[in-house]
Amino acid sequence: MKKAHINLFYETLAKGNPEPKSELQYTNVYTLLVAVVLSAQATDKGVNKATEALFKIVETPNQMVELGEAKLKDYIKTIGLFNTKAKNVIKLSQMLVHEHGGEVPNDQAALEKLPGVGRKTANVVRNIYFQVPTIAVDTHIFRVGNRTGLAPGKNPLEVEKKLLKVTPKEWKLHAHHWLILHGRYICKARKPECTACPVIDYCAYKAKTL
DNA sequence: ATCCCGAGGG
DNA sequence: CCCTCTGGAT
């Protein structure tokens, strides 16, 4: 995508949503981390539905450890991959208690050592809570980056590097949310709504659909 | 490359 | 029925 168009692309998305925020529900940085871990290959709606009850009784790593894996599963069994996620959340909470004083570290490497936390999840937490201009590449952003021509790449890491390179400084902090919301509601996987798309003038995909 | 894995949409 | 959803670990 041309430089001038990249600016217009972000400017347009920003105008449509000046203060973008996560649609995941959370009460603090710990519950944010748990919510993001649970959101892997699941919709935020489904995660919110499960965590609404869970976060009323669990807001700290200690409380999660006390709850235990079996009861945690009862809360999240409506979410895909719940078995693995329950194990990871308990282990991750134990590690936070024993190795980080019960706090969530603002450190990419330390976060990625936690079970169930990879590059994407760590990037999301650092962006949302610690205001670091990371761009976490999930399924939506991977698709939008490739389809629009904004940041093509064979894998998420390639797309992330390209996004960090082409995204102007002023848009970096919120780029993650603008791109994800665009992918979720307009540039959808199955049936992209190009006729309702505000940035179609800058998109490489329109040539194939119109 | 493969497994994990429920809900919702088309 | 098939596809997709803010992936990560092996």
Side-chain angles (χ1 to χ4, degrees):
Chain A
M1 195 180 290
K2 293 178 187 173
K3 228 174 195 176
H5 283 182
I6 291 174
N7 246 306
L8 288 166
F9 183 93
Y10 279 115
E11 203 172 296
T12 305
L13 293 184
K15 198 170 267 184
N17 194 348
E19 295 292 332
K21 54 186 180 188
S22 173
E23 295 187 341
L24 284 171
Q25 288 189 318
Y26 59 94
T27 60
N28 59 47
V29 62
Y30 170 68
T31 53
L32 169 65
L33 174 62
V34 173
V36 179
V37 168
L38 295 178
S39 73
Q41 299 292 283
T43 62
D44 60 336
K45 272 188 189 173
V47 173
N48 288 339
K49 198 172 165 188
T51 56
E52 185 179 5
L54 175 64
F55 293 161
K56 277 180 185 165
I57 59 160
V58 174
E59 288 194 300
T60 69
N62 258 312
Q63 292 167 346
M64 188 68 80
V65 173
E66 285 175 26
L67 181 70
E69 189 179 317
K71 287 185 181 173
L72 174 57
K73 279 185 189 175
D74 282 338
Y75 281 95
I76 67 169
K77 62 188 173 190
T78 56
I79 304 174
L81 317 181
F82 72 93
N83 221 326
T84 309
K85 287 172 181 174
K87 282 194 178 83
N88 285 338
V89 168
I90 295 297
K91 184 72 198 298
L92 157 176
S93 300
Q94 291 170 339
M95 287 173 67
L96 290 179
V97 170
H98 296 304
E99 300 172 27
H100 298 282
E103 304 285 317
V104 175
N106 177 14
D107 182 290
Q108 188 77 15
L111 285 169
E112 287 187 24
K113 280 181 188 165
L114 301 171
V117 180
R119 184 177 185 84
K120 178 258 166 184
T121 299
N123 271 332
V124 171
V125 171
R126 295 207 305 139
N127 179 266
I128 293 180
Y129 191 80
F130 297 110
Q131 304 281 299
V132 180
T134 60
I135 301 181
V137 176
D138 64 356
T139 178
H140 293 301
I141 297 184
F142 183 71
R143 180 179 65 253
V144 171
N146 276 295
R147 187 185 274 164
T148 61
L150 173 66
K154 290 191 288 290
N155 52 64
L157 185 57
E158 263 190 40
V159 172
E160 179 186 332
K161 285 181 179 171
K162 213 162 267 184
L163 281 173
L164 287 171
K165 188 188 271 184
V166 304
T167 303
K169 206 174 192 176
E170 57 179 316
W171 310 117
K172 247 175 210 172
L173 183 59
H174 296 305
H176 167 71
H177 280 128
W178 285 318
L179 293 171
I180 207 169
L181 293 172
H182 182 60
R184 181 176 297 164
Y185 297 114
I186 301 288
C187 197
K188 299 188 286 188
R190 281 225 226 175
K191 198 183 129 203
E193 301 193 11
C194 297
T195 56
C197 180
V199 290
I200 191 162
D201 289 344
Y202 325 119
C203 179
Y205 188 70
K206 69 173 188 301
K208 298 175 189 171
T209 59
L210 301 179

PDB file of all heavy atoms in Angstrom, chain A residues 49 77-78 81 83 190, chain B residues 4-9:
ATOM      1  N   LYS A  49     -19.092 -13.986  28.368  1.00  0.00           N
ATOM      2  CA  LYS A  49     -20.212 -14.695  28.968  1.00  0.00           C
ATOM      3  C   LYS A  49     -19.728 -15.583  30.116  1.00  0.00           C
ATOM      4  O   LYS A  49     -20.379 -15.686  31.162  1.00  0.00           O
ATOM      5  CB  LYS A  49     -20.889 -15.561  27.890  1.00  0.00           C
ATOM      6  CG  LYS A  49     -22.279 -16.013  28.216  1.00  0.00           C
ATOM      7  CD  LYS A  49     -22.888 -16.677  26.978  1.00  0.00           C
ATOM      8  CE  LYS A  49     -24.131 -17.473  27.342  1.00  0.00           C
ATOM      9  NZ  LYS A  49     -24.610 -18.275  26.194  1.00  0.00           N
ATOM     10  N   LYS A  77     -16.270 -23.991  30.656  1.00  0.00           N
ATOM     11  CA  LYS A  77     -16.468 -25.146  29.771  1.00  0.00           C
ATOM     12  C   LYS A  77     -17.247 -24.823  28.502  1.00  0.00           C
ATOM     13  O   LYS A  77     -17.324 -25.658  27.602  1.00  0.00           O
ATOM     14  CB  LYS A  77     -17.135 -26.291  30.531  1.00  0.00           C
ATOM     15  CG  LYS A  77     -18.509 -25.988  31.069  1.00  0.00           C
ATOM     16  CD  LYS A  77     -18.983 -27.135  31.977  1.00  0.00           C
ATOM     17  CE  LYS A  77     -20.300 -26.752  32.652  1.00  0.00           C
ATOM     18  NZ  LYS A  77     -20.679 -27.705  33.705  1.00  0.00           N
ATOM     19  N   THR A  78     -17.829 -23.634  28.428  1.00  0.00           N
ATOM     20  CA  THR A  78     -18.526 -23.247  27.199  1.00  0.00           C
ATOM     21  C   THR A  78     -17.567 -22.627  26.173  1.00  0.00           C
ATOM     22  O   THR A  78     -17.976 -22.296  25.070  1.00  0.00           O
ATOM     23  CB  THR A  78     -19.631 -22.216  27.497  1.00  0.00           C
ATOM     24  OG1 THR A  78     -19.055 -21.103  28.169  1.00  0.00           O
ATOM     25  CG2 THR A  78     -20.729 -22.819  28.369  1.00  0.00           C
ATOM     26  N   LEU A  81     -11.461 -25.238  23.629  1.00  0.00           N
ATOM     27  CA  LEU A  81     -10.129 -25.531  24.180  1.00  0.00           C
ATOM     28  C   LEU A  81     -10.074 -25.339  25.686  1.00  0.00           C
ATOM     29  O   LEU A  81      -9.022 -25.021  26.250  1.00  0.00           O
ATOM     30  CB  LEU A  81      -9.058 -24.629  23.518  1.00  0.00           C
ATOM     31  CG  LEU A  81      -9.132 -24.434  22.004  1.00  0.00           C
ATOM     32  CD1 LEU A  81      -7.994 -23.544  21.522  1.00  0.00           C
ATOM     33  CD2 LEU A  81      -9.095 -25.761  21.275  1.00  0.00           C
ATOM     34  N   ASN A  83     -10.203 -27.265  28.282  1.00  0.00           N
ATOM     35  CA  ASN A  83      -9.394 -28.160  29.101  1.00  0.00           C
ATOM     36  C   ASN A  83      -7.963 -27.654  29.233  1.00  0.00           C
ATOM     37  O   ASN A  83      -7.430 -27.510  30.341  1.00  0.00           O
ATOM     38  CB  ASN A  83      -9.388 -29.547  28.459  1.00  0.00           C
ATOM     39  CG  ASN A  83      -9.520 -30.634  29.485  1.00  0.00           C
ATOM     40  OD1 ASN A  83      -9.021 -30.489  30.606  1.00  0.00           O
ATOM     41  ND2 ASN A  83     -10.178 -31.702  29.130  1.00  0.00           N
ATOM     42  N   ARG A 190     -15.239 -14.663   6.027  1.00  0.00           N
ATOM     43  CA  ARG A 190     -16.054 -15.337   5.017  1.00  0.00           C
ATOM     44  C   ARG A 190     -16.613 -14.401   3.960  1.00  0.00           C
ATOM     45  O   ARG A 190     -16.480 -14.640   2.792  1.00  0.00           O
ATOM     46  CB  ARG A 190     -17.210 -16.042   5.702  1.00  0.00           C
ATOM     47  CG  ARG A 190     -16.779 -17.338   6.310  1.00  0.00           C
ATOM     48  CD  ARG A 190     -17.770 -18.424   5.987  1.00  0.00           C
ATOM     49  NE  ARG A 190     -18.046 -19.165   7.207  1.00  0.00           N
ATOM     50  CZ  ARG A 190     -18.941 -20.111   7.296  1.00  0.00           C
ATOM     51  NH1 ARG A 190     -19.671 -20.425   6.255  1.00  0.00           N
ATOM     52  NH2 ARG A 190     -19.126 -20.737   8.425  1.00  0.00           N
TER      53      ARG A 190
ATOM     54  P    DC B   4      -6.832 -33.980  20.452  1.00  0.00           P
ATOM     55  OP1  DC B   4      -6.790 -35.069  21.437  1.00  0.00           O
ATOM     56  OP2  DC B   4      -7.754 -34.027  19.310  1.00  0.00           O
ATOM     57  O5'  DC B   4      -7.102 -32.620  21.232  1.00  0.00           O
ATOM     58  C5'  DC B   4      -6.297 -32.248  22.342  1.00  0.00           C
ATOM     59  C4'  DC B   4      -6.626 -30.822  22.720  1.00  0.00           C
ATOM     60  O4'  DC B   4      -6.089 -29.927  21.733  1.00  0.00           O
ATOM     61  C3'  DC B   4      -8.138 -30.557  22.758  1.00  0.00           C
ATOM     62  O3'  DC B   4      -8.520 -30.174  24.067  1.00  0.00           O
ATOM     63  C2'  DC B   4      -8.359 -29.417  21.782  1.00  0.00           C
ATOM     64  C1'  DC B   4      -6.964 -28.831  21.604  1.00  0.00           C
ATOM     65  N1   DC B   4      -6.748 -28.227  20.270  1.00  0.00           N
ATOM     66  C2   DC B   4      -6.051 -27.016  20.194  1.00  0.00           C
ATOM     67  O2   DC B   4      -5.635 -26.503  21.223  1.00  0.00           O
ATOM     68  N3   DC B   4      -5.858 -26.456  18.971  1.00  0.00           N
ATOM     69  C4   DC B   4      -6.340 -27.057  17.877  1.00  0.00           C
ATOM     70  N4   DC B   4      -6.132 -26.472  16.707  1.00  0.00           N
ATOM     71  C5   DC B   4      -7.047 -28.285  17.946  1.00  0.00           C
ATOM     72  C6   DC B   4      -7.229 -28.839  19.147  1.00  0.00           C
ATOM     73  P    DC B   5      -9.839 -30.886  24.721  1.00  0.00           P
ATOM     74  OP1  DC B   5      -9.886 -30.565  26.163  1.00  0.00           O
ATOM     75  OP2  DC B   5      -9.888 -32.298  24.284  1.00  0.00           O
ATOM     76  O5'  DC B   5     -11.018 -30.110  23.974  1.00  0.00           O
ATOM     77  C5'  DC B   5     -11.314 -28.787  24.356  1.00  0.00           C
ATOM     78  C4'  DC B   5     -12.335 -28.182  23.403  1.00  0.00           C
ATOM     79  O4'  DC B   5     -11.685 -27.643  22.233  1.00  0.00           O
ATOM     80  C3'  DC B   5     -13.401 -29.161  22.870  1.00  0.00           C
ATOM     81  O3'  DC B   5     -14.654 -28.566  23.090  1.00  0.00           O
ATOM     82  C2'  DC B   5     -13.112 -29.225  21.366  1.00  0.00           C
ATOM     83  C1'  DC B   5     -12.552 -27.839  21.143  1.00  0.00           C
ATOM     84  N1   DC B   5     -11.746 -27.656  19.904  1.00  0.00           N
ATOM     85  C2   DC B   5     -11.635 -26.350  19.375  1.00  0.00           C
ATOM     86  O2   DC B   5     -12.215 -25.425  19.926  1.00  0.00           O
ATOM     87  N3   DC B   5     -10.893 -26.181  18.264  1.00  0.00           N
ATOM     88  C4   DC B   5     -10.276 -27.219  17.697  1.00  0.00           C
ATOM     89  N4   DC B   5      -9.546 -26.985  16.607  1.00  0.00           N
ATOM     90  C5   DC B   5     -10.380 -28.529  18.223  1.00  0.00           C
ATOM     91  C6   DC B   5     -11.117 -28.710  19.319  1.00  0.00           C
ATOM     92  P    DG B   6     -15.981 -29.552  23.249  1.00  0.00           P
ATOM     93  OP1  DG B   6     -15.749 -30.404  24.419  1.00  0.00           O
ATOM     94  OP2  DG B   6     -16.264 -30.154  21.935  1.00  0.00           O
ATOM     95  O5'  DG B   6     -17.150 -28.522  23.590  1.00  0.00           O
ATOM     96  C5'  DG B   6     -16.979 -27.645  24.698  1.00  0.00           C
ATOM     97  C4'  DG B   6     -17.559 -26.282  24.371  1.00  0.00           C
ATOM     98  O4'  DG B   6     -16.727 -25.611  23.390  1.00  0.00           O
ATOM     99  C3'  DG B   6     -18.964 -26.325  23.780  1.00  0.00           C
ATOM    100  O3'  DG B   6     -19.708 -25.248  24.333  1.00  0.00           O
ATOM    101  C2'  DG B   6     -18.732 -26.124  22.286  1.00  0.00           C
ATOM    102  C1'  DG B   6     -17.504 -25.205  22.277  1.00  0.00           C
ATOM    103  N9   DG B   6     -16.663 -25.321  21.093  1.00  0.00           N
ATOM    104  C8   DG B   6     -16.222 -26.480  20.502  1.00  0.00           C
ATOM    105  N7   DG B   6     -15.457 -26.259  19.457  1.00  0.00           N
ATOM    106  C5   DG B   6     -15.393 -24.886  19.360  1.00  0.00           C
ATOM    107  C6   DG B   6     -14.712 -24.062  18.422  1.00  0.00           C
ATOM    108  O6   DG B   6     -13.994 -24.399  17.463  1.00  0.00           O
ATOM    109  N1   DG B   6     -14.922 -22.706  18.669  1.00  0.00           N
ATOM    110  C2   DG B   6     -15.683 -22.226  19.695  1.00  0.00           C
ATOM    111  N2   DG B   6     -15.763 -20.891  19.771  1.00  0.00           N
ATOM    112  N3   DG B   6     -16.323 -22.978  20.578  1.00  0.00           N
ATOM    113  C4   DG B   6     -16.137 -24.295  20.344  1.00  0.00           C
ATOM    114  P    DA B   7     -21.294 -25.212  24.174  1.00  0.00           P
ATOM    115  OP1  DA B   7     -21.841 -24.886  25.494  1.00  0.00           O
ATOM    116  OP2  DA B   7     -21.745 -26.398  23.428  1.00  0.00           O
ATOM    117  O5'  DA B   7     -21.441 -23.925  23.243  1.00  0.00           O
ATOM    118  C5'  DA B   7     -20.997 -22.675  23.757  1.00  0.00           C
ATOM    119  C4'  DA B   7     -21.047 -21.633  22.676  1.00  0.00           C
ATOM    120  O4'  DA B   7     -20.079 -21.930  21.651  1.00  0.00           O
ATOM    121  C3'  DA B   7     -22.408 -21.517  21.983  1.00  0.00           C
ATOM    122  O3'  DA B   7     -22.718 -20.141  21.905  1.00  0.00           O
ATOM    123  C2'  DA B   7     -22.155 -22.102  20.591  1.00  0.00           C
ATOM    124  C1'  DA B   7     -20.683 -21.787  20.373  1.00  0.00           C
ATOM    125  N9   DA B   7     -19.961 -22.709  19.482  1.00  0.00           N
ATOM    126  C8   DA B   7     -19.926 -24.080  19.549  1.00  0.00           C
ATOM    127  N7   DA B   7     -19.166 -24.643  18.636  1.00  0.00           N
ATOM    128  C5   DA B   7     -18.660 -23.570  17.921  1.00  0.00           C
ATOM    129  C6   DA B   7     -17.780 -23.495  16.821  1.00  0.00           C
ATOM    130  N6   DA B   7     -17.245 -24.564  16.231  1.00  0.00           N
ATOM    131  N1   DA B   7     -17.468 -22.268  16.340  1.00  0.00           N
ATOM    132  C2   DA B   7     -18.022 -21.193  16.930  1.00  0.00           C
ATOM    133  N3   DA B   7     -18.855 -21.131  17.976  1.00  0.00           N
ATOM    134  C4   DA B   7     -19.137 -22.374  18.432  1.00  0.00           C
ATOM    135  P    DG B   8     -24.230 -19.650  21.668  1.00  0.00           P
ATOM    136  OP1  DG B   8     -24.482 -18.612  22.685  1.00  0.00           O
ATOM    137  OP2  DG B   8     -25.133 -20.830  21.538  1.00  0.00           O
ATOM    138  O5'  DG B   8     -24.118 -18.949  20.246  1.00  0.00           O
ATOM    139  C5'  DG B   8     -23.113 -17.973  20.042  1.00  0.00           C
ATOM    140  C4'  DG B   8     -22.875 -17.790  18.560  1.00  0.00           C
ATOM    141  O4'  DG B   8     -22.113 -18.899  18.052  1.00  0.00           O
ATOM    142  C3'  DG B   8     -24.168 -17.743  17.739  1.00  0.00           C
ATOM    143  O3'  DG B   8     -24.201 -16.522  17.024  1.00  0.00           O
ATOM    144  C2'  DG B   8     -24.079 -18.959  16.808  1.00  0.00           C
ATOM    145  C1'  DG B   8     -22.571 -19.207  16.750  1.00  0.00           C
ATOM    146  N9   DG B   8     -22.199 -20.585  16.461  1.00  0.00           N
ATOM    147  C8   DG B   8     -22.627 -21.723  17.100  1.00  0.00           C
ATOM    148  N7   DG B   8     -22.106 -22.829  16.631  1.00  0.00           N
ATOM    149  C5   DG B   8     -21.271 -22.384  15.610  1.00  0.00           C
ATOM    150  C6   DG B   8     -20.434 -23.125  14.726  1.00  0.00           C
ATOM    151  O6   DG B   8     -20.262 -24.342  14.683  1.00  0.00           O
ATOM    152  N1   DG B   8     -19.757 -22.290  13.839  1.00  0.00           N
ATOM    153  C2   DG B   8     -19.881 -20.920  13.807  1.00  0.00           C
ATOM    154  N2   DG B   8     -19.154 -20.285  12.888  1.00  0.00           N
ATOM    155  N3   DG B   8     -20.651 -20.216  14.628  1.00  0.00           N
ATOM    156  C4   DG B   8     -21.322 -21.012  15.497  1.00  0.00           C
ATOM    157  P    DG B   9     -25.459 -16.119  16.132  1.00  0.00           P
ATOM    158  OP1  DG B   9     -25.753 -14.714  16.414  1.00  0.00           O
ATOM    159  OP2  DG B   9     -26.507 -17.161  16.274  1.00  0.00           O
ATOM    160  O5'  DG B   9     -24.857 -16.248  14.658  1.00  0.00           O
ATOM    161  C5'  DG B   9     -23.610 -15.612  14.354  1.00  0.00           C
ATOM    162  C4'  DG B   9     -23.213 -15.947  12.933  1.00  0.00           C
ATOM    163  O4'  DG B   9     -22.711 -17.307  12.879  1.00  0.00           O
ATOM    164  C3'  DG B   9     -24.373 -15.859  11.940  1.00  0.00           C
ATOM    165  O3'  DG B   9     -23.949 -15.193  10.773  1.00  0.00           O
ATOM    166  C2'  DG B   9     -24.714 -17.325  11.652  1.00  0.00           C
ATOM    167  C1'  DG B   9     -23.371 -18.025  11.851  1.00  0.00           C
ATOM    168  N9   DG B   9     -23.478 -19.409  12.290  1.00  0.00           N
ATOM    169  C8   DG B   9     -24.198 -19.891  13.350  1.00  0.00           C
ATOM    170  N7   DG B   9     -24.086 -21.187  13.516  1.00  0.00           N
ATOM    171  C5   DG B   9     -23.237 -21.586  12.500  1.00  0.00           C
ATOM    172  C6   DG B   9     -22.757 -22.874  12.169  1.00  0.00           C
ATOM    173  O6   DG B   9     -22.988 -23.954  12.737  1.00  0.00           O
ATOM    174  N1   DG B   9     -21.922 -22.845  11.059  1.00  0.00           N
ATOM    175  C2   DG B   9     -21.592 -21.706  10.354  1.00  0.00           C
ATOM    176  N2   DG B   9     -20.786 -21.872   9.313  1.00  0.00           N
ATOM    177  N3   DG B   9     -22.040 -20.498  10.653  1.00  0.00           N
ATOM    178  C4   DG B   9     -22.854 -20.507  11.734  1.00  0.00           C
TER     179       DG B   9
END
